[in-house]
Amino acid sequence: MDDKAKNLVLDILKSAGLLTEEQIKKILSNEDAYTARIMKTKSGAARRGQVVQHDINIIDVIDSLNLELPGSDGKYLTEDIIMERIASHLNLPFIKIDPLKLDADIVTGIVSRPYAIKHQLIPVGLSGNTLTIATSRPFQKDGIEWLRMTTHYDINVCLASKKDLHRIITEFYGFKSSVAAADKELSSGIDLGNLEQFVKLKPVAELGGTDKHIINAVEYMLHYAYSQRASDIHIEPKREHSLIRFRIDGVLHDIHKMPKAVHLAFVSRIKTLSRMDIAEKRRPQDGRIKTEKDDKEIELRISTLPVAFGEKVVIRIFDPSILIQNPENLGLADRDLSLFKSFISAPHGLILVTGPTGSGKTTTLYSAMKMLASPEVNITTIEDPIEMIYGEFNQTSVQHSIGVTFANALRTILRQDPDIIMVGEIRDHETAENAIQAALTGHLVLSTLHTNDAPSSITRLVDLGVPPFLINSTLIGIIAQRLVRKVCPECAEEYNLSKEECMMLGITDPAAINTSVFMGKGCLKCRGTGYYGRSGIFEVLEITRKIKEKINEKTGPDEIGAAAKTEGFRTLRECAVNKMIKGQTTFDEIIRAAGLHD
């Protein structure tokens, strides 16, 4: 950036009230020192394989200083805000690039990676003969003009931050070029259905160890998933291509399409990393990979399944910072949090966590065990499979192929001098009976059940053959839970609940009609969904004397729930409504997660 452009940027920010004259003088007098500091930081990013642009300009310097915005209550002057002001001054649109909305073929097919890096621009859209370009260099037009002459497109220009551009260049060009090179090497005109015999003849070491393009493509995909906060990666073979999808905040997004010739080698690389048998394609397999993200260890659980056009792979990402939480961060209300802590502080007994797959039960259990872990106690788990390896627990996995089930593993663990036992799931009479016996003999047992709510868990135990008197002797409490998406804080808008919506949620208090709640209108941060992140909703049932009487009388879940409500018990829906009133979730999410009011 030349001096003329630099001074224009500073004048724009000064006119907008974002920089004072004193701040500008300090920035200019210390510019060389600030630039050296940024360069030192960027050299570390380059070693990690990120695209780094070394021509540091005045925008980078200002962004690095974390200057507080006037009257913003703690917000800082960022590159996005700077570029937005420059765009406004130049009468150009500013965009926050959402990688999930980009077409990889347009991004990588029109502009080469070296050209994108040199001129800091990428194509972000193509409509008819009009190409939309995003750039972070509004004052250097050579790259755009050359593109206009060579492609003969009508070009619309918009501004974006350099950070966004570099992320897209790293993720899109890296993945796309690796897949394209692999496709060129592997394409043979052989149909995917017949490719199996051909690959079986190829040595494992050659496929997984020396095929650099496949190795790079897999690593780019994993880094991309980490940066997008994905919880699961789906790699799905189709008739003409292979589709990669990410689950983000519980919703699947299409990410990339790969040529079908690449799919088999791509899957084989993942199977090699997770120590699966790459020659076995007819049976499902499970494996795991340990990798790194921001100097933290990340567990990846891999599952393969033969489908019509090949092997489908699902990679579940377990981030320790998400999987293991402080109890205060789980989303429990004050009363429920107090009960939860009292449950896990009991010397012995049975605690159940219930809910459907993907409702956060594992997070609740691991968080409880982490709170209990100490050198004085022996915590042993039986899981199917082990969700995440954690050094403070003794973890064993169910292996049906050699006869290791929940039931017989639990019998063995009782001879291992445990203090606390976590049983992944109570599925049958034998496991239920052994869990009850463990609780009776002085152990604290935590486990899960698949039921819709907390009172139904008691009926489920009875159905599994556990006598009511044993339930009363051992059961401490039950936690039922679901996950709801949270309102995006960047685009939250206030609106009033209608009378009909209140009736659907079972809100009968006249004072609550037309109460103010929030919903997201959709923005770039939340990818237009109106939601960002997830939180738990809970119902916590304490087994009190009144509940024990209901259990002895063999009453149904409705009667047990009604009795519990007289002692302060709140249902999942009531918990969700409370979160909605606090502005944390929406009416639609309550209906999706907790259903309609009965």
Side-chain angles (χ1 to χ4, degrees):
M1 184 180 290
D2 58 28
D3 289 341
K4 182 179 179 182
K6 180 200 299 184
N7 291 330
L8 177 58
V9 169
L10 293 173
D11 286 342
I12 291 170
L13 297 178
K14 180 182 175 182
S15 299
L18 299 177
L19 286 180
T20 64
E21 187 65 40
E22 291 74 18
Q23 286 174 321
I24 291 174
K25 289 179 180 178
K26 183 177 180 181
I27 289 168
L28 292 174
S29 63
N30 295 285
E31 186 177 359
D32 290 342
Y34 295 145
T35 300
R37 185 176 65 187
I38 297 170
M39 288 294 292
K40 184 177 180 180
T41 302
K42 286 184 177 289
S43 64
R47 287 195 297 271
R48 294 192 294 272
Q50 298 176 15
V51 173
V52 172
Q53 193 75 21
H54 290 290
D55 59 332
I56 308 303
N57 59 41
I58 196 67
I59 297 173
D60 300 311
V61 169
I62 298 170
D63 178 52
S64 71
L65 297 178
N66 292 327
L67 300 173
E68 189 169 339
L69 290 170
S72 66
D73 194 23
K75 292 187 178 180
Y76 297 100
L77 181 58
T78 64
E79 183 185 5
D80 285 344
I81 295 173
I82 296 169
M83 293 304 296
E84 194 169 4
R85 289 292 181 178
I86 294 172
S88 177
H89 179 82
L90 299 176
N91 292 319
L92 293 174
F94 170 79
I95 64 167
K96 184 71 177 167
I97 302 176
D98 180 359
L100 299 187
K101 299 285 179 64
L102 297 182
D103 186 327
D105 292 329
I106 293 175
V107 174
T108 61
I110 297 176
V111 172
S112 69
R113 178 188 176 113
Y115 194 89
I117 294 173
K118 180 180 178 181
H119 296 286
Q120 290 189 35
L121 59 81
I122 60 168
V124 293
L126 180 61
S127 177
N129 196 53
T130 301
L131 179 69
T132 302
I133 294 292
T135 180
S136 62
R137 288 181 172 176
F139 309 110
Q140 298 178 25
K141 301 179 181 179
D142 293 349
I144 296 171
E145 291 304 319
W146 180 256
L147 195 62
R148 180 180 282 114
M149 288 188 294
T150 55
T151 63
H152 304 293
Y153 284 125
D154 297 325
I155 293 182
N156 288 336
V157 178
C158 57
L159 297 195
S161 69
K162 187 192 293 187
K163 292 176 184 175
D164 281 358
L165 290 172
H166 288 176
R167 188 177 76 248
I168 298 302
I169 292 170
T170 299
E171 294 167 349
F172 274 67
Y173 285 93
F175 181 86
K176 194 74 176 179
S177 62
S178 298
V179 168
D183 183 36
K184 186 175 181 180
E185 291 184 2
L186 295 171
S187 292
S188 60
I190 301 173
D191 185 72
L192 186 64
N194 298 323
L195 202 57
E196 183 176 10
Q197 292 180 341
F198 176 75
V199 174
K200 281 184 180 177
L201 301 176
K202 199 170 185 178
V204 174
E206 180 184 342
L207 181 63
T210 62
D211 195 333
K212 62 179 181 180
H213 302 304
I214 290 296
I215 292 171
N216 290 341
V218 171
E219 291 187 1
Y220 277 122
M221 179 194 68
L222 292 177
H223 284 297
Y224 191 21
Y226 297 158
S227 69
Q228 297 303 310
R229 302 181 300 109
S231 61
D232 300 87
I233 303 169
H234 291 239
I235 305 163
E236 305 173 353
K238 306 297 182 183
R239 187 183 300 277
E240 302 294 337
H241 59 267
S242 179
L243 179 64
I244 296 178
R245 301 198 288 171
F246 291 171
R247 188 178 295 278
I248 303 169
D249 291 338
V251 178
L252 280 169
H253 299 264
D254 290 354
I255 302 298
H256 287 295
K257 288 182 180 179
M258 292 191 300
K260 67 177 183 179
V262 179
H263 176 82
L264 192 60
F266 199 86
V267 171
S268 294
R269 174 60 182 166
I270 295 170
K271 290 169 73 174
T272 300
L273 289 172
S274 53
R275 299 182 180 180
M276 295 183 191
D277 181 359
I278 69 166
E280 178 56 75
K281 300 172 179 66
R282 299 165 299 172
R283 292 187 301 178
Q285 296 187 67
D286 292 302
R288 58 194 324 118
I289 302 171
K290 181 167 282 191
T291 182
E292 244 185 7
K293 170 197 170 189
D294 300 331
D295 298 324
K296 296 186 302 182
E297 286 190 346
I298 302 291
E299 291 265 356
L300 307 176
R301 198 175 76 199
I302 320 297
S303 173
T304 67
L305 177 71
V307 294
F309 299 108
E311 280 186 286
K312 179 179 184 289
V313 178
V314 174
I315 303 173
R316 174 155 288 187
I317 301 171
F318 290 101
D319 186 339
S321 63
I322 296 173
L323 188 62
I324 299 178
Q325 301 276 349
N326 290 325
E328 289 78 7
N329 297 333
L330 291 174
L332 290 153
D334 291 342
R335 174 189 176 275
D336 294 340
L337 178 61
S338 177
L339 285 174
F340 174 75
K341 289 182 175 179
S342 72
F343 292 170
I344 62 176
S345 63
H348 54 80
L350 175 64
I351 301 168
L352 294 176
V353 180
T354 181
T357 301
S359 60
K361 299 189 298 295
T362 300
T363 296
T364 301
L365 288 171
Y366 271 65
S367 300
M369 291 190 294
K370 176 64 174 70
M371 186 177 177
L372 295 169
S374 72
E376 292 79 28
V377 297
N378 173 15
I379 299 177
T380 306
T381 76
I382 315 164
E383 303 174 62
D384 184 20
I386 295 172
E387 300 282 13
M388 189 190 74
I389 296 172
Y390 192 76
E392 295 186 48
F393 312 150
N394 298 296
Q395 297 168 278
T396 187
S397 178
V398 168
Q399 300 181 63
H400 296 286
S401 59
I402 58 173
V404 180
T405 64
F406 280 118
N408 57 33
L410 183 51
R411 284 197 298 269
T412 301
I413 282 172
L414 289 174
R415 298 192 288 272
Q416 291 279 315
D417 187 30
D419 296 296
I420 299 165
I421 303 169
M422 194 275 274
V423 182
E425 185 184 350
I426 295 177
R427 299 175 178 172
D428 52 41
H429 169 72
E430 189 178 9
T431 306
E433 185 178 46
N434 289 339
I436 292 290
Q437 289 301 319
L440 280 171
T441 52
H443 305 92
L444 183 63
V445 180
L446 297 87
S447 189
T448 72
L449 278 177
H450 283 290
T451 58
N452 290 327
D453 54 33
S456 297
S457 299
I458 295 170
T459 305
R460 176 66 176 150
L461 287 177
V462 173
D463 291 341
L464 289 172
V466 181
F469 76 91
L470 284 181
I471 296 175
N472 282 341
S473 300
T474 56
L475 190 58
I476 301 171
I478 305 168
I479 302 163
Q481 64 181 87
R482 300 283 192 281
L483 289 176
V484 294
R485 289 181 291 174
K486 295 192 293 185
V487 175
C488 174
E490 296 294 322
C491 61
E493 288 187 337
E494 193 173 3
Y495 80 101
N496 292 332
L497 280 178
S498 67
K499 183 177 180 181
E500 291 74 18
E501 288 173 330
C502 289
M503 291 176 63
M504 291 174 71
L505 294 175
I507 301 174
T508 56
D509 183 1
I513 305 298
N514 292 323
T515 189
S516 294
V517 296
F518 289 86
M519 67 182 299
K521 65 178 181 180
C523 65
L524 290 169
K525 179 176 181 178
C526 63
R527 302 182 179 89
T529 63
Y531 300 100
Y532 189 87
R534 290 188 291 178
S535 180
I537 56 172
F538 301 86
E539 57 182 35
V540 180
L541 177 62
E542 183 183 16
I543 308 303
T544 61
R545 183 182 298 276
K546 182 179 287 188
I547 301 303
K548 289 181 179 181
E549 291 173 358
K550 294 294 180 182
I551 295 171
N552 278 331
E553 295 168 5
K554 297 184 179 181
T555 57
D558 292 342
E559 290 82 358
I560 292 173
K565 280 192 172 186
T566 64
E567 299 180 320
F569 172 76
R570 294 194 315 168
T571 65
L572 286 167
R573 187 184 297 104
E574 289 169 336
C575 177
V577 168
N578 188 54
K579 283 185 178 287
M580 179 188 68
I581 291 171
K582 290 182 178 179
Q584 297 174 11
T585 192
T586 65
F587 172 83
D588 290 338
E589 271 298 280
I590 294 175
I591 299 302
R592 183 191 64 81
L596 293 171
H597 177 65
D598 188 0

